[in-house]
């Protein structure tokens, strides 16, 4: 009785996995086809596996420039989010005052607000900051990084707060303080290394989000020199025609770095999410 049930469960999992992966299969196979071959049968394997359309997409996309912008944007944003969220999550978790609880509640509430309701007021606010301070907040990678810090702080602090509450013994910090550590040394030498699982999880989630984000960069980055890879792929989707084969090749170039990063760090994600979701 148990064996047929296990076989049925395994078969169902395989079928669900194939359905889930089917879009990636379609993108991958059609990135090697001509438009005529793709329109003839989008599900079939290509007649020849040639990198012609990948090279064409890279030239049209200015891939190296777009890749550099995406890499800078993602690495800097994720690094700052990891540092600031770990610091804030630790301090809020170790503070028992009403102010800390109110700050934490406000940060959690920001996770419930859809970005679409904020994007127009956000652009107006960025224009106001530029007029008041002279700092260019739109069409710069620095301004976009600043926005990502604001939008990513809620989830990052939520995960770090839960990890500190549930998995970081306070006695460890007290022992380090007795041994002579000040607050700065306590954080960098004791707290930060101990938070590695949840910080890796946070980095995975933020890398996937920032690297693949299209909406926020499309609102802020207007010049071609600052465009990211997702923004660059829009050139293949014209008003009257779509170059599907080049678009598929560009999309594959977009998702490959994220897949590689995820495969290298996936063992931490379940552990980090479970530890960061502990109620404080």
């Amino acid at each position: 009785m148990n064996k047929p049930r296990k076989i049925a469960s395994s078969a169902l999992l395989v079928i669900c996995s194939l359905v889930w992966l089917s879009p990636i299969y379609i993108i991958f196979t059609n990135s090697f086809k001509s438009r005529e071959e793709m329109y003839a049968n989008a599900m079939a394997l290509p007649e020849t596996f040639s990198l012609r359309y990948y090279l064409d997409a890279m030239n049209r996309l200015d891939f190296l420039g777009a890749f550099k912008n995406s890499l800078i944007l993602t690495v800097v944003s994720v690094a700052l989010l990891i540092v600031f969220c770990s610091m804030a999550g630790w301090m809020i978790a170790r503070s028992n005052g009403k102010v800390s609880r109110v700050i934490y509640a406000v940060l959690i509430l920001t996770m419930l607000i859809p970005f679409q309701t904020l994007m127009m007021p956000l652009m107006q606010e960025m224009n106001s900051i530029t007029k008041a301070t002279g700092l260019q907040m739109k069409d710069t990678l620095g301004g976009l990084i600043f926005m990502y810090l604001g939008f990513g702080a809620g989830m990052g602090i939520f995960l770090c707060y839960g990890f500190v509450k549930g998995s970081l013994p306070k006695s460890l910090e007290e022992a380090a303080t007795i041994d002579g550590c000040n607050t700065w040394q306590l954080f960098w030498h004791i707290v930060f290394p101990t938070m590695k699982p949840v910080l890796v999880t946070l980095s995975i989630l933020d890398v996937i989000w920032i690297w693949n984000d299209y909406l926020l960069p499309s609102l802020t980055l207007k010049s071609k020199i600052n465009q990211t890879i997702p923004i660059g792929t829009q050139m293949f989707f014209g008003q009257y025609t779509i170059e599907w084969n080049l678009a598929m090749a560009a999309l594959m170039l977009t998702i490959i770095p994220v897949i590689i990063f995820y495969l290298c760090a996936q063992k931490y994600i379940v552990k980090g999410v479970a530890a960061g979701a502990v109620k404080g």
Side-chain angles (χ1 to χ4, degrees):
M1 184 67 180
N2 289 332
K3 188 173 182 180
R5 185 176 297 176
K6 289 180 180 179
I7 294 174
S9 300
S10 300
L12 181 60
L13 288 174
V14 170
I15 294 172
C16 291
S17 300
L18 292 175
V19 172
W20 184 263
L21 293 174
S22 60
I24 297 179
Y25 167 80
I26 294 172
I27 294 173
F28 178 74
T29 55
N30 287 288
S31 65
F32 294 98
K33 298 178 183 178
S34 64
R35 296 178 66 182
E36 294 78 10
E37 186 182 356
M38 185 185 66
Y39 291 142
N41 190 347
M43 298 299 295
L45 291 172
E47 296 178 359
T48 59
F49 285 88
S50 172
L51 296 178
R52 169 188 171 187
Y53 300 112
Y54 281 87
L55 296 176
D56 195 4
M58 290 176 68
N59 291 331
R60 295 269 301 276
L61 182 62
D62 185 19
F63 180 75
L64 292 180
F67 181 85
K68 181 192 71 174
N69 292 334
S70 291
L71 186 64
I72 292 173
L73 185 65
T74 303
V75 170
V76 175
S77 298
V78 172
L80 292 176
L81 279 169
I82 287 174
V83 172
F84 292 150
C85 291
S86 59
M87 287 181 174
W90 175 54
M91 291 304 297
I92 293 174
R94 291 297 183 242
S95 301
N96 296 318
K98 292 183 179 179
V99 175
S100 297
R101 290 196 290 269
V102 169
I103 293 174
Y104 180 69
V106 171
L107 289 168
I108 297 303
L109 288 174
T110 61
M111 299 169 59
L112 307 177
I113 303 174
F115 171 74
Q116 290 78 4
T117 63
L118 299 175
M119 58 186 185
M120 296 311 297
L122 175 65
M123 293 302 104
Q124 295 174 354
E125 188 65 26
M126 293 301 104
N127 289 331
S128 301
I129 293 176
T130 300
K131 291 179 181 179
T133 64
L135 296 174
Q136 186 66 31
M137 300 301 294
K138 296 176 66 176
D139 201 22
T140 62
L141 296 181
L144 188 54
I145 290 171
F146 177 78
M147 298 180 208
Y148 278 131
L149 293 181
F151 284 111
M155 183 187 68
I157 293 175
F158 169 74
L159 291 176
C160 293
Y161 176 92
F163 184 89
V164 172
K165 279 287 189 179
S167 303
L168 186 61
K170 196 170 183 179
S171 58
L172 184 64
E173 301 172 33
E174 293 172 346
T177 303
I178 293 173
D179 288 339
C181 285
N182 56 35
T183 303
W184 187 256
Q185 293 170 331
L186 177 61
F187 175 77
W188 285 112
H189 295 290
I190 305 298
V191 176
F192 191 79
T194 309
M195 296 176 69
K196 180 181 177 181
V198 74
L199 295 180
V200 173
T201 300
L202 179 61
S203 66
I204 292 172
L205 298 176
D206 285 340
V207 164
I208 294 174
W209 162 46
I210 296 173
W211 182 271
N212 294 321
D213 189 27
Y214 173 83
L215 185 54
L216 185 55
S218 68
L219 293 172
T220 57
L221 302 177
K222 302 302 180 183
S223 60
K224 187 174 181 180
I225 194 174
N226 289 325
Q227 73 176 9
T228 59
I229 294 179
I231 296 297
T233 57
Q234 69 180 344
M235 71 172 59
F236 303 115
F237 298 89
Q239 183 176 0
Y240 301 105
T241 183
I242 300 176
E243 299 177 273
W244 282 111
N245 52 344
L246 297 181
M248 297 295 181
L251 291 174
M252 282 302 302
L253 292 171
T254 302
I255 66 177
I256 286 173
V258 177
I259 292 174
I260 294 173
F261 175 79
Y262 180 83
L263 292 176
C264 293
Q266 64 174 334
K267 65 181 180 179
Y268 296 101
I269 191 166
V270 175
K271 182 179 179 181
V273 169
V278 176
K279 183 177 180 181

